[in-house]
Amino acid sequence: YGPRTTLSLAHVDGPGVTEFLLAEDAGGTDGGTWVRSNEYSSIGEGKLFAPGNLRAVKDHSGYAELVKWYSENGYQLRYTGGMALDVMQLCVKGRGVFMAPASRGGRTPPPARLLFEALPLAYLVERCGGATSDGTRSLLDVCVERLDQRTQIALGSAPDVARFEELVGAADPVRTLAERTV
């Protein structure tokens, strides 16, 4: 994803998140060595936001209002199209929020895969002192029921995640294909 290869690690018994950088050896023969490069321990409210699933602003008035609020209050837009990159940038900067809600009315399902995307990032963010939500509760409190289960997400500072819960709230129940065509 860029000029550096990093690994972010959080342990249940330790505070924060530790980042390791893959440093190449001088001769370029052994594949490199992992070197501890940074530690992150807090995510506070700050003027940084990364909005995912911007198509949802068309039919989700709460999300449209939230994006407008961030724009009008001088928040810097951070959006690469890569959720993991944007979320880890919040840890690096120690501030901000990433959010990706579901559309209203079942037009598009929630964007993030719970097991493979949302939960690993939520764990890192919460270990780093931030908060997470599916619109009503911490992502770490969501029970995995299916491998392909999706969820809307907010990851970042506690005040920013609370703002997401207030304006966006719970996702619409996911409808079956048959229900959507009726």
Side-chain angles (χ1 to χ4, degrees):
Y1 300 130
R4 301 170 15 133
T5 300
T6 63
L7 169 79
S8 297
L9 179 68
H11 190 274
V12 70
D13 293 328
V17 174
T18 303
E19 179 185 70
F20 295 89
L21 172 67
L22 181 59
E24 292 185 28
D25 67 326
T29 58
D30 73 358
T33 305
W34 290 101
V35 178
R36 186 162 74 182
S37 57
N38 288 302
E39 293 192 17
Y40 311 115
S41 59
S42 68
I43 297 178
E45 188 172 19
K47 303 275 184 176
L48 184 66
F49 80 112
N53 194 19
L54 280 171
R55 290 181 305 255
V57 299
K58 290 185 223 170
D59 60 2
H60 193 307
S61 60
Y63 189 45
E65 184 179 340
L66 183 59
V67 170
K68 181 180 176 187
W69 187 91
Y70 284 122
S71 297
E72 290 176 347
N73 284 278
Y75 275 62
Q76 176 186 352
L77 176 64
R78 160 74 188 193
Y79 184 73
T80 65
M83 180 171 52
L85 296 173
D86 288 340
V87 172
M88 289 313 300
Q89 186 68 15
L90 302 177
C91 295
V92 170
K93 297 283 188 183
R95 62 187 170 91
V97 64
F98 175 89
M99 55 199 170
S103 293
R104 287 288 187 227
R107 294 178 102 169
T108 59
R113 293 173 296 171
L114 180 64
L115 186 59
F116 306 109
E117 295 169 319
L119 290 177
L121 290 172
Y123 184 75
L124 291 174
V125 167
E126 288 196 17
R127 296 301 301 160
C128 197
T132 68
S133 179
D134 69 348
T136 59
R137 63 188 167 202
S138 165
L139 286 164
L140 298 181
D141 291 335
V142 177
C143 185
V144 176
E145 297 170 358
R146 298 179 324 277
L147 288 177
D148 66 341
Q149 185 174 341
R150 293 185 174 264
T151 184
Q152 61 180 10
I153 59 173
L155 308 149
S157 75
D160 287 315
V161 170
R163 193 172 292 117
F164 177 87
E165 288 181 338
E166 177 185 336
L167 294 174
V168 174
D172 284 347
V174 176
R175 298 183 309 166
T176 66
L177 182 58
E179 291 171 325
R180 281 186 251 166
T181 57
V182 171

